[in-house]
Amino acid sequence: MELSSEDALRLNVLLTHTILAVRIDENNLTLAALTDRGEARIALHATGRKEQYLRLVREMLSGHALGSPGGYPLFIQRWTRMGQNSGDNIDKLLLLGEDEAVTSVAYSPRLTDELARRAWWCMHSGDNARRMLERTCVVQGAMGPVLAEYLVEHLPFETSPHVIIDTVRIVLQPGLIGEQALLRLWGRARSDSSYYAGFIAALPDALPGQSGERA
């Protein structure tokens, strides 16, 4: 199987530009690229099975970004989410159109606020948002409030006490959410004590409505 001539041409033209991130909609066979000039989209035309065709597209992206299309599968398999990506070029991982690569960047200790912006453009994920908000540069950057707002909006749909506690603790970092959002979270604690645990972890000495020391 080969890329269709139309797709190969459009991808080659796209790769002549400065690309910051790539995402692929597998259901609709669409590739979107974040470039220095804005967003670009390419409708893909599979010449065979969709999964195999998308593999060819990703190998082309990998060859351009990493210089190793043949090594792409092994490269993916070697990733872990614990202290990976110690190199200086983690931005290249956002050019692969691969969700696991985006997660790898979100977990990386070399994450920056700009890389967080690109990773978030690639894929919205609550887990990735929480991990990115563990980085001071993101909390204090432009992406901090954006990620925190997403987590607060989706928190009612979380069912794991551990995730709720972790999320509340993270979004209560200074400067991420406003007073109204904070009070809404505090109000939910009446029906779910996991919220209280998150508040105690983040603001043990500044709980809403606290007028003095408590036992």
Side-chain angles (χ1 to χ4, degrees):
M1 183 189 302
E2 295 181 350
L3 293 177
S4 69
S5 57
E6 181 180 1
D7 290 353
L9 174 61
R10 290 184 175 181
L11 286 171
N12 276 308
V13 171
L14 176 65
L15 294 177
T16 63
H17 295 83
T18 301
I19 303 176
L20 305 178
V22 171
R23 69 184 179 214
I24 295 176
D25 185 334
E26 296 187 357
N27 293 326
N28 296 318
L29 281 179
T30 302
L31 181 148
L34 182 65
T35 75
D36 56 346
R37 298 182 179 181
E39 293 188 19
R41 292 182 180 274
I42 296 176
L44 301 172
H45 306 84
T47 58
R49 293 184 59 185
K50 180 172 66 175
E51 295 79 8
Q52 294 178 346
Y53 193 78
L54 291 176
R55 180 64 168 270
L56 291 178
V57 172
R58 288 188 169 103
E59 286 185 353
M60 183 175 183
L61 296 173
S62 178
H64 175 76
L66 306 174
S68 178
Y72 166 74
L74 289 178
F75 194 85
I76 292 290
Q77 292 169 14
R78 288 171 185 166
W79 283 338
T80 66
R81 301 185 181 190
M82 296 291 292
Q84 78 293 2
N85 297 335
S86 59
D88 296 325
N89 297 317
I90 64 169
D91 57 313
K92 302 297 184 185
L93 301 182
L94 297 176
L95 307 180
L96 305 181
E98 172 62 53
D99 287 352
E100 183 64 24
V102 177
T103 297
S104 186
V105 172
Y107 276 65
S108 174
R110 291 185 175 271
L111 183 72
T112 65
D113 189 55
E114 170 60 19
L115 287 178
R117 180 183 76 88
R118 300 180 194 179
W120 193 242
W121 178 88
C122 288
M123 180 176 65
H124 287 190
S125 160
D127 190 49
N128 285 358
R130 281 183 284 272
R131 300 293 73 79
M132 289 193 286
L133 284 175
E134 291 180 343
R135 308 295 176 188
T136 302
C137 62
V138 177
V139 172
Q140 297 178 350
M143 285 304 298
V146 174
L147 300 175
E149 180 181 7
Y150 175 90
L151 291 175
V152 170
E153 289 181 356
H154 289 77
L155 192 53
F157 305 102
E158 298 290 354
T159 57
S160 167
H162 172 76
V163 172
I164 294 173
I165 294 170
D166 195 33
T167 301
V168 172
R169 174 187 62 81
I170 288 171
V171 301
L172 290 179
Q173 294 179 88
L176 290 183
I177 63 173
E179 183 69 16
Q180 290 185 344
L182 183 149
L183 292 177
R184 285 199 301 271
L185 292 178
W186 183 250
R188 291 176 193 163
R190 298 190 186 98
S191 57
D192 190 337
S193 60
S194 298
Y195 284 79
Y196 281 135
F199 269 91
I200 292 172
L203 305 171
D205 300 317
L207 298 175
Q210 183 174 354
S211 58
E213 291 187 2
R214 298 180 181 180

